[in-house]
Amino acid sequence: MIRPRRSLLFMPGSNARALEKARLLHADGLILDLEDSVAPDAKATARAQIAKAVGDKGFGKREVLIRINSLDSPWWIDDLNMAGKAKPDGILVPKVSSVAELSAIADRLTDVGAEIAIKVWIMIETARGVLHAEELAAASQDSEMRLAGFVFGPNDISRETGIRMLPGRSAMVPMMTHCVLAARSHGLAILDGPYSDIGNIEGFAHECAQARDLGFDGKTLIHPGQIDACNAAFTPPAEDVAYARKVIAAFAEPENAARGAIQLDGRMVERLHVDMAKKTIAIADAIAAMGS
């Protein structure tokens, strides 16, 4: 099943008003946060508020993830215990760098009786995480790992490595491409990290377009004002959808049944383009079903 993931917005779990407001936002998904946006003395409150918000089931068709604290923190076990029982669509774990950490997460979810439908997402935001991206993605072949996707975290990678986050992110592109290839080679979704300069509309639009062209499914966001532009960037244009339908219809013609390539509107089109066209249409249909 293709699910639109153009925009996933981080919402601080300690802010009850923000959690309530999230029910009305047009993001494809929400990441209810226990990590960076929540102060240490507010972790317990945030945990309780997120559990109630997810339990109330008021987020409609939006995908709901809970971001727990990293496995090197004193909070992750309590976070995971709550998240496993709250039944979100998924649990996002920061700073995962090894399959051993994935196993620890999976084991804990089994211990608390978490439903297998609850998926695990991991943030690739360390040097080791980037280097081990293919190994991490391959672990998804074990269904007990629950792994559904990556979130690329450029800000933490920059902080750890000293690689500068300059406009255009040219120094980050090789790592981003590496993570996209790792994810796709094992059928995983992958999201780009957030854009921090919320007042820079042009810069944000450029980064969304870059992420789209590099093969990301969507982008994580830190401000509601970024949702519309992000959704627009990752929505297939109407002309692309129309052409995709044309490609499928052309290969469905009896005279093309045994042909591997045909001419369409002056272009050579191969059967591999049929698969691409089907994906474009499936995404467009899924977005339409979301109502945005």
Side-chain angles (χ1 to χ4, degrees):
M1 182 185 71
I2 288 184
R3 186 168 197 166
R5 295 188 173 104
R6 299 166 296 173
S7 54
L8 271 78
L9 176 67
F10 282 103
M11 300 298 284
S14 55
N15 187 331
R17 183 180 176 188
L19 294 177
E20 186 63 30
K21 180 181 179 182
R23 303 175 189 275
L24 304 175
L25 299 174
H26 294 296
D28 287 341
L30 302 165
I31 303 173
L32 310 185
D33 192 26
L34 289 164
E35 196 208 13
D36 286 345
S37 66
V38 179
D41 61 357
K43 300 288 187 186
T45 298
R47 211 176 287 127
Q49 290 184 166
I50 287 175
K52 183 179 185 308
V54 175
D56 288 344
K57 301 184 184 299
F59 297 111
K61 297 177 182 178
R62 298 167 191 82
E63 188 167 19
V64 177
L65 308 183
I66 296 174
R67 179 167 72 167
I68 67 170
N69 285 277
S70 60
L71 273 62
D72 61 357
S73 78
W75 305 292
W76 79 271
I77 291 179
D78 288 339
D79 292 347
L80 202 56
N81 289 349
M82 177 277 291
K85 295 173 184 176
K87 301 180 183 179
D89 295 301
I91 297 167
L92 177 60
V93 187
K95 299 179 179 66
V96 173
S97 302
S98 70
V99 173
E101 291 170 323
L102 266 181
S103 296
I105 296 159
D107 289 346
R108 191 66 193 177
L109 287 172
T110 298
D111 289 346
V112 300
E115 295 180 359
I116 196 64
I118 300 173
K119 300 304 180 184
V120 170
W121 288 69
I122 60 174
M123 299 194 73
I124 305 297
E125 51 186 351
T126 66
R128 287 183 64 221
V130 172
L131 292 172
H132 295 167
E134 201 281 331
E135 182 182 352
L136 288 163
S140 66
Q141 303 309 299
D142 180 350
S143 61
E144 292 186 3
M145 292 292 193
R146 305 167 181 256
L147 186 61
F150 290 169
V151 175
F152 183 76
N155 292 316
D156 280 281
I157 290 171
S158 176
R159 179 175 60 186
E160 180 182 311
T161 64
I163 297 170
R164 296 182 66 189
M165 282 284 290
L166 299 173
R169 300 190 293 181
S170 59
M172 287 279 174
V173 168
M175 289 179 284
M176 295 165 74
T177 304
H178 172 69
C179 291
V180 169
L181 291 173
R184 298 308 190 204
S185 67
H186 294 283
L188 299 180
I190 183 165
L191 303 173
D192 190 18
Y195 184 77
S196 301
D197 188 1
I198 58 176
N200 186 347
I201 297 172
E202 182 178 348
F204 177 68
H206 175 81
E207 195 162 292
C208 286
Q210 179 193 46
R212 177 198 63 212
D213 294 346
L214 286 172
F216 287 89
D217 293 294
K219 193 165 179 63
T220 55
L221 310 176
I222 57 173
H223 192 278
Q226 298 175 323
I227 295 171
D228 289 344
C230 191
N231 283 348
F234 286 95
T235 297
E239 56 270 26
D240 288 2
V241 177
Y243 185 73
R245 297 190 191 280
K246 198 171 185 179
V247 169
I248 292 171
F251 273 100
E253 294 290 339
E255 64 269 26
N256 295 327
R259 301 178 68 179
I262 62 173
Q263 285 194 41
L264 181 64
D265 296 344
R267 305 182 196 175
M268 288 301 298
V269 182
E270 300 178 60
R271 285 205 173 269
L272 65 89
H273 294 109
V274 174
D275 292 335
M276 296 167 66
K278 288 179 178 177
K279 183 175 180 181
T280 296
I281 292 169
I283 292 171
D285 289 347
I287 290 169
M290 286 284 293
S292 62

